């Protein structure tokens, strides 16, 4: 088991967002996390990545046999957890090359490897740019500064390719993308899929799952996973809408 | 127009605080025999210094005039600084390494001194090999070693210590010393004029483009010694020179006074680029100790089409009071000021520039990037004055402040005076904080908080850093990271 989440509760400023998440992810699997706005999808991603604004109030997260919640943000990243951001932040004046080189070499240092020299690093960048079909000279620009929505998301996928994570969490990577950009992003993910890594793809829409075919689909509602299934569940959701889930839950009397 | 923008916040911000509370990395003291002037300041001290340096009569007179004027002056109090009282009776105004014979090779130099350079990573041995950099290394007050002078003399370039210039080129010194910063200019400049110990002198003759970057390393090294450097750079018609000055100082508890004067003269069509990385000991985490740095730097674009460009990276000193300025006298002359000033812990900086437009079609650019951390205070103070005759002149100013944590202060005090209608002055200012989002983004990519802050801060300061000569830029980037974090570099 790569990731095992048990009864995870998390809150922000005293408001509980995650109300008992349980989820297992194995290597080689792609899990889609779906659900309406404000149900805790991004919170789940943030908590796994270690964002400090969220307080974990109960439950446990075991990653590679370790208590993930005890690791610092950067330790989680160095252990192979990657978060593709929904809203990647701008860092003026810092080129993507410089940014990535710092990241790659810090991770290498953690693993006891020598830092990559300039030449080797640039070669790696070229390889990965090709892999994710990054044609523009994005790498020379400041991190996310003045990028279009599509460029920002492609840049996230490019960074994922550079860092070769074991567990990649993509937080609504499809939002704001036109169909071509969506395809580029999805192709990148598909090329990076191996039997050794796993993906958690957070999305609103079934659309992305036409390109990234998930092994499992989970529906998150009011801070809990209320339904799990295979890719067919996504199609059913697309057809019936989230109201279907809402009504079902209200029927159980736990909504609100 | 006169404006003021003050930002003070008081909420704690743990992560940034932890990261920014690091000790000074370059603290060490070299044990070299030193010869002191009698402690305290009087006419006798001034005479002693002049005599010790075997100066011609005109220099002694200049010093005495300055000293007598200084006695009539009061400490300036207009800066946004809290300056503890300085007891001028308790300061050694002159300290020279005792063994002061001329060295022909490095073997003859005090091994302790060479070891100091080694610790700094600027051993003369290495420096000599570094093609393209001539070094005039100053420890305390007397120039110990000058390299590359012969190469430079082929071009007629004079690059030597101020003491040597006074001995060997008295006419040039007489003509230009005090011509940009008169001994009556301000309290600290007057003091410097009276007791300056040494410094660098540089003269680039007509039409000569100096083929190497000139650099000087300053270092305060004797306890309780006021350091009064005096630098004079003259670029004659059509000449060009790029001059670099950088320094680190040993860690110690007593406050040390540093009051340097730098004068630059650019004649017609001449261009001078002056770059500084300043890293004097800033005091410890609780604000104890550290250098007081009261510097007067000014250049005059005397001839038409001349240009003076200041670039400074200020990371050190407990107190910084410094306004590298340009007097744009010649028509079409250009003044530039690029600055990064970092304050951390209890450091205080009041720094900026003055652009005085006197000639027609003169242009000036000001890019100032302040970075405040800890409980420090960082002020930009700048004057742009466009006189009546400076028609069609332009100024562009950009003053940015970056706050790390929430107990620091960033202040901007721009003074703008425009006396004609054909000129254009633009002023932009921003204040920002390193956001938690930026930190998280970097950390999620595997960087620790220190690296992340180093990266973000260097990105923020890039516009200024790119103005520095290549080898200096690398050092400056490291310094920025070190002064905010400690271990990165």
């Amino acid at each position: 088991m790569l990731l095992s989440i048990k009864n995870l509760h998390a809150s922000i400023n005293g408001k509980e967002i995650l109300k008992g998440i349980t989820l297992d992810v194995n290597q080689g699997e792609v899990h889609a996390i779906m659900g309406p706005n404000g149900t805790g999808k991004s919170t789940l991603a943030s908590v796994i990545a270690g964002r400090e604004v969220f307080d974990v109030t109960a439950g446990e997260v075991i990653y590679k046999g370790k208590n993930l919640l005890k690791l610092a943000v950067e330790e989680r990243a160095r252990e192979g957890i990657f978060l593709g951001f929904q809203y990647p932040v701008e860092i003026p004046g810092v080129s993507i090359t410089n940014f990535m080189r710092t990241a790659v070499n810090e991770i290498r240092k953690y693993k006891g490897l020598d830092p990559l020299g300039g030449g080797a690093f640039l070669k790696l960048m070229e390889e990965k740019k090709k892999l994710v079909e990054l044609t523009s000279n994005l790498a020379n620009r400041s991190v996310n500064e003045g990028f279009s929505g599509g460029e920002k998301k492609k840049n996230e996928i490019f960074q994922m390719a550079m860092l070769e994570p074991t567990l990649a969490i993509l937080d609504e990577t499809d939002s704001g993308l036109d169909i071509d950009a969506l395809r580029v992003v999805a192709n990148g993910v598909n090329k990076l899929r191996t039997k050794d890594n796993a993906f958690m793809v957070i999305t609103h829409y079934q659309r992305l799952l036409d390109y990234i075919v998930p092994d499992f689909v989970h529906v998150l509602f009011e801070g809990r996973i209320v339904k799990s299934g295979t890719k067919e569940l996504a199609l059913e959701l697309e057809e019936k809408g989230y109201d279907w889930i809402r009504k079902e839950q209200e029927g159980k009397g736990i909504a609100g | 127009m006169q404006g003021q923008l003050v930002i003070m916040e008081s909420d704690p911000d743990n992560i940034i605080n932890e990261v920014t509370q690091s000790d000074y990395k370059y603290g060490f003291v070299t044990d070299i025999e030193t010869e002191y002037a009698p402690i305290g300041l009087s006419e006798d001290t001034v005479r002693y210094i002049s005599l010790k340096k075997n100066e011609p009569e005109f220099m002694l007179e200049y010093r005495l005039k300055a000293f007598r004027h200084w006695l009539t002056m009061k400490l300036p109090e207009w800066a946004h600084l809290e300056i503890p009282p300085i007891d001028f009776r308790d300061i050694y105004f002159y300290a020279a390494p005792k063994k002061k014979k001329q060295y022909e090779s490095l073997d003859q130099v005090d091994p302790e001194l060479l070891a100091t350079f080694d610790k700094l990573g600027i051993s003369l041995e290495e420096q000599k090999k570094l093609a393209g950099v001539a070094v005039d290394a100053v420890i305390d007050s007397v120039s110990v070693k000058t390299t590359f002078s012969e190469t430079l003399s082929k071009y007629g370039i004079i690059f030597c210590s101020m003491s040597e210039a006074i001995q060997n080129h008295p006419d040039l010194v007489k003509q230009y010393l005090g011509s940009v910063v008169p001994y009556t200019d301000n309290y600290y400049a007057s003091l410097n004029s009276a007791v300056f110990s040494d410094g660098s002198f540089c003269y680039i003759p007509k039409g000569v483009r100096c083929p190497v970057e000139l650099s000087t390393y300053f270092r305060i090294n004797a306890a309780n010694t006021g350091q009064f450097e005096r630098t004079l750079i003259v670029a004659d018609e059509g000449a060009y020179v790029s001059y670099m000055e950088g320094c680190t100082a040993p860690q110690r508890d007593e406050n040390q006074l540093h009051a340097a004067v730098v004068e630059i003269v650019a004649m017609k069509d001449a261009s001078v680029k002056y770059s500084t990385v300043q890293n004097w000991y800033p005091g410890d985490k609780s604000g104890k100790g550290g250098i007081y740095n009261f510097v007067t730097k000014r250049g005059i674009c005397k001839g038409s089409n001349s240009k003076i460009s200041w670039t400074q990276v200020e990371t050190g000193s407990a107190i910084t009071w410094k306004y590298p300025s340009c007097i744009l006298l010649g028509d079409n002359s250009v003044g530039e000021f690029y600055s990064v000033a970092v304050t951390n812990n209890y450091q205080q900086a009041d720094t900026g520039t003055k652009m005085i437009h006197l000639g027609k079609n003169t242009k000036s650019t000001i890019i100032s990037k302040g970075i405040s951390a800890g409980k420090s205070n960082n002020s930009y103070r700048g004057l742009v004055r466009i006189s009546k005759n400076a028609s069609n002149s332009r100024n562009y100013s950009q003053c940015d402040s970056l706050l790390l944590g929430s107990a620091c202060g960033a202040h901007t005090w721009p003074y703008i005076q425009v006396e004609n209608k054909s000129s254009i002055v633009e002023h932009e200012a921003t204040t920002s904080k390193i956001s938690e989002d930026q930190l998280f983004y970097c950390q999620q990519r595997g960087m620790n908080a220190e690296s992340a802050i180093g990266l973000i801060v260097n990105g923020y300061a890039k516009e200024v850093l790119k103005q520095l000569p290549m080898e200096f830029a690398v050092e400056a980037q490291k310094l920025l990271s070190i002064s905010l974090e400690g271990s990165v570099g």
Side-chain angles (χ1 to χ4, degrees):
Chain A
M1 184 94 56
L2 181 64
L3 178 76
S4 173
I5 303 172
K6 282 200 178 74
N7 189 34
L8 182 65
H9 289 253
S11 56
I12 184 166
N13 300 329
K15 185 174 186 268
E16 189 167 60
I17 309 287
L18 301 183
K19 300 171 182 173
I21 301 269
T22 297
L23 176 67
D24 289 339
V25 177
N26 289 299
Q27 283 171 318
E29 293 176 352
V30 173
H31 291 247
I33 312 282
M34 301 183 74
N37 275 331
T39 55
K41 300 192 298 295
S42 290
T43 301
L44 177 61
S46 295
V47 169
I48 295 172
R51 186 144 213 172
E52 280 166 14
V53 291
F54 296 99
D55 299 315
V56 175
T57 51
E60 66 169 23
V61 181
I62 305 296
Y63 170 76
K64 288 183 177 172
K66 289 177 188 165
N67 180 355
L68 186 73
L69 300 176
K70 284 210 163 150
L71 300 181
V73 180
E74 62 267 28
E75 286 169 332
R76 299 180 196 202
R78 293 167 191 171
E79 286 288 346
I81 290 180
F82 177 90
L83 175 61
F85 285 78
Q86 185 178 3
Y87 304 110
V89 68
E90 297 184 0
I91 309 179
V94 178
S95 71
I96 289 177
T97 306
N98 196 9
F99 180 74
M100 271 288 103
R101 195 168 168 195
T102 308
V104 164
N105 282 335
E106 291 227 6
I107 292 172
R108 288 180 67 89
K109 192 171 152 196
Y110 178 78
K111 291 179 175 164
L113 300 169
D114 287 334
L116 274 188
F121 179 78
L122 289 177
K123 209 178 138 206
L124 179 71
M125 283 231 328
E126 282 312 306
E127 258 171 48
K128 301 297 184 184
K129 270 167 80 176
K130 231 174 252 167
L131 186 75
V132 298
E133 300 167 52
L134 196 73
T135 45
S136 61
N137 62 345
L138 226 52
N140 300 327
R141 291 164 59 185
S142 294
V143 178
N144 295 319
E145 198 182 28
F147 284 22
S148 69
E151 284 174 328
K152 282 184 182 170
K153 297 304 171 69
K154 283 186 202 171
N155 182 30
E156 293 293 292
I157 299 300
F158 165 69
Q159 291 181 38
M160 180 172 77
M162 288 294 293
L163 300 175
E164 297 178 335
T166 319
L167 175 66
I169 306 161
L170 303 180
D171 189 5
E172 305 212 11
T173 302
D174 53 333
S175 67
L177 290 193
D178 62 32
I179 203 78
D180 291 328
L182 188 70
R183 203 174 286 137
V184 170
V185 165
N187 284 344
V189 171
N190 288 329
K191 282 180 190 163
L192 293 167
R193 263 175 103 158
T194 68
K195 63 177 180 26
D196 298 318
N197 60 23
F199 290 81
M200 280 174 66
V201 180
I202 293 172
T203 181
H204 263 303
Y205 306 107
Q206 198 274 334
R207 189 175 72 150
L208 179 67
L209 304 179
D210 285 341
Y211 299 96
I212 304 173
V213 181
D215 299 297
F216 300 97
V217 174
H218 310 278
V219 179
L220 200 59
F221 186 77
E222 304 282 345
R224 288 184 192 87
I225 290 176
V226 294
K227 234 180 190 17
S228 291
T230 52
K231 63 184 180 200
E232 285 74 22
L233 176 59
L235 291 168
E236 200 177 350
L237 273 174
E238 180 82 355
E239 197 182 308
K240 297 184 177 172
Y242 288 117
D243 275 352
W244 163 53
I245 300 289
R246 193 167 285 125
K247 276 178 192 144
E248 213 176 85
Q249 291 304 311
E250 277 162 7
K252 287 179 188 170
I254 54 168
Chain B
M1 195 188 90
Q2 192 170 321
Q4 182 192 345
L5 179 71
V6 180
I7 291 110
M8 289 286 288
E9 300 191 38
S10 56
D11 298 323
D13 194 338
N14 290 333
I15 189 157
I16 288 168
N17 285 348
E18 276 170 31
V19 164
T20 54
Q21 280 169 11
S22 64
D23 284 321
Y24 185 66
K25 295 292 158 185
Y26 289 154
F28 47 86
V29 175
T30 314
D31 194 11
I32 298 172
E33 279 188 76
T34 308
E35 194 176 343
Y36 295 99
I39 200 163
L41 186 53
S42 66
E43 268 201 32
D44 287 345
T45 320
V46 177
R47 287 178 194 281
Y48 174 90
I49 293 168
S50 193
L51 182 72
K52 219 48 189 160
K53 298 171 76 65
N54 197 23
E55 287 179 345
E57 189 61 26
F58 83 90
M59 271 314 307
L60 176 62
E61 276 168 27
Y62 182 83
R63 286 176 183 278
L64 287 173
K65 268 192 290 185
F67 176 72
R68 286 166 195 151
H69 186 79
W70 178 75
L71 287 176
T72 68
M73 299 175 93
K74 282 203 175 110
L75 271 167
E77 283 171 350
W78 43 263
H80 187 73
L81 299 169
E82 275 180 40
I83 305 171
I86 299 166
D87 188 352
F88 290 93
R89 289 167 308 181
D90 197 29
I91 294 175
Y92 288 103
F93 282 86
Y94 181 76
K98 220 170 184 177
K99 302 169 187 170
K100 48 177 178 177
K101 51 188 170 194
Q102 289 298 113
Y103 301 112
E104 279 157 25
S105 79
L106 286 175
D107 306 339
Q108 295 171 303
V109 176
D110 191 328
E112 279 272 358
L113 194 59
L114 294 178
T116 303
F117 282 122
D118 282 336
K119 272 190 229 168
L120 280 168
I122 55 150
S123 81
L124 286 176
E125 200 70 324
E126 270 180 358
Q127 288 293 346
K128 274 183 153 179
K129 288 177 196 157
L130 269 177
V133 181
V135 174
D136 177 20
V138 178
I139 274 219
D140 277 19
S141 313
V142 168
S143 279
V144 180
K145 191 85 196 171
T146 305
T147 51
F148 287 97
S149 291
E150 292 124 45
T151 321
L152 295 175
S153 65
K154 262 201 326 209
Y155 292 88
I157 294 169
I158 303 166
F159 179 44
C160 61
S161 70
M162 187 57 85
S163 309
E164 285 166 335
I166 290 168
Q167 300 297 331
N168 303 332
H169 310 281
D171 293 346
L172 283 173
V173 173
K174 216 170 173 174
Q175 186 179 351
Y176 291 109
L177 189 81
S179 71
V180 192
V181 180
Y183 67 82
T184 53
D185 192 79
N186 68 69
Y187 189 85
Y188 300 109
S190 295
L191 181 61
N192 176 288
S193 300
V195 299
F196 74 82
S197 40
D198 210 337
S200 295
F201 175 80
C202 177
Y203 174 80
I204 316 290
K206 269 185 196 174
V208 170
R209 199 181 159 83
C210 184
V212 292
E213 308 267 2
L214 298 182
S215 78
T216 306
Y217 287 87
F218 295 87
R219 186 169 166 76
I220 293 181
N221 204 41
N224 254 335
T225 303
Q227 180 99 358
F228 303 93
E229 297 290 344
R230 187 83 190 199
T231 299
L232 175 58
I233 299 167
V234 180
D236 216 328
E237 285 182 18
Y240 166 84
V241 63
S242 169
Y243 185 94
M244 309 189 287
E245 173 214 292
C247 60
T248 58
Q251 178 164 356
R252 53 181 43 169
D253 281 334
E254 305 97 291
N255 290 306
Q256 292 182 300
L257 179 64
H258 182 79
V261 171
V262 175
E263 296 177 281
I264 297 176
V265 180
M267 308 302 278
K268 186 171 176 286
D269 298 320
S271 178
V272 177
K273 183 176 170 64
Y274 187 102
S275 314
T276 311
V277 173
Q278 185 270 114
N279 185 30
W280 302 114
Y281 176 51
D284 68 14
K285 272 182 268 186
S286 63
K288 193 165 178 247
I291 307 291
Y292 296 172
N293 196 26
F294 304 105
V295 186
T296 306
K297 290 186 170 182
R298 192 177 304 150
I300 182 165
C301 286
K302 221 168 178 179
S304 56
N305 304 309
S306 54
K307 178 179 174 182
I308 292 174
S309 180
W310 299 97
T311 304
Q312 62 172 17
V313 176
E314 302 282 313
T315 65
S317 299
I319 299 174
T320 300
W321 181 95
K322 182 178 174 186
Y323 316 90
S325 303
C326 297
I327 300 170
L328 303 172
L329 179 63
D331 290 347
N332 312 310
S333 59
V334 176
E336 293 174 340
F337 175 73
Y338 300 98
S339 170
V340 176
V342 181
T343 53
N344 195 1
N345 298 319
Y346 285 88
Q347 278 177 273
Q348 307 178 65
D350 195 303
T351 184
T353 185
K354 286 189 271 187
M355 292 291 175
I356 312 293
H357 293 251
L358 300 174
K360 292 179 176 53
N361 308 315
T362 46
K363 266 191 210 134
S364 63
T365 303
I366 298 169
I367 309 284
S368 166
K369 302 269 182 178
I371 301 162
S372 332
K375 296 186 166 64
S376 68
N377 261 309
N378 200 329
S379 304
Y380 167 82
R381 186 184 304 277
L383 167 67
V384 175
R385 191 181 145 226
I386 298 193
S387 69
K388 206 171 161 190
N389 296 328
S391 51
N392 298 309
S393 290
R394 293 206 60 156
N395 161 266
Y396 173 75
S397 300
Q398 186 190 328
C399 301
D400 297 333
S401 305
L402 184 69
L403 301 168
L404 280 74
S406 7
C408 52
H411 317 263
T412 305
W413 324 72
Y415 304 81
I416 299 170
Q417 300 167 3
V418 183
E419 291 162 17
N420 69 54
K421 285 184 176 166
S422 58
S423 295
I424 300 170
V425 172
E426 290 172 81
H427 182 94
E428 288 181 20
T430 67
T431 302
S432 52
K433 286 181 80 166
I434 288 189
S435 72
E436 208 237 323
D437 285 349
Q438 286 174 325
L439 267 182
F440 181 65
Y441 192 76
C442 293
Q443 287 174 285
Q444 210 299 306
R445 298 305 185 241
M447 299 172 209
N448 61 26
E450 290 194 356
S451 307
I453 287 175
L455 198 71
I456 294 166
V457 164
N458 273 299
Y460 164 78
K462 194 179 185 179
E463 253 179 293
V464 173
L465 296 179
K466 73 180 184 193
Q467 298 293 334
L468 290 171
M470 187 61 177
E471 56 271 50
F472 231 31
V474 175
E475 187 184 327
Q477 280 182 16
K478 287 182 184 170
L479 265 182
L480 275 194
S481 297
I482 286 170
S483 54
L484 288 168
E485 307 150 14
S487 65
V488 176

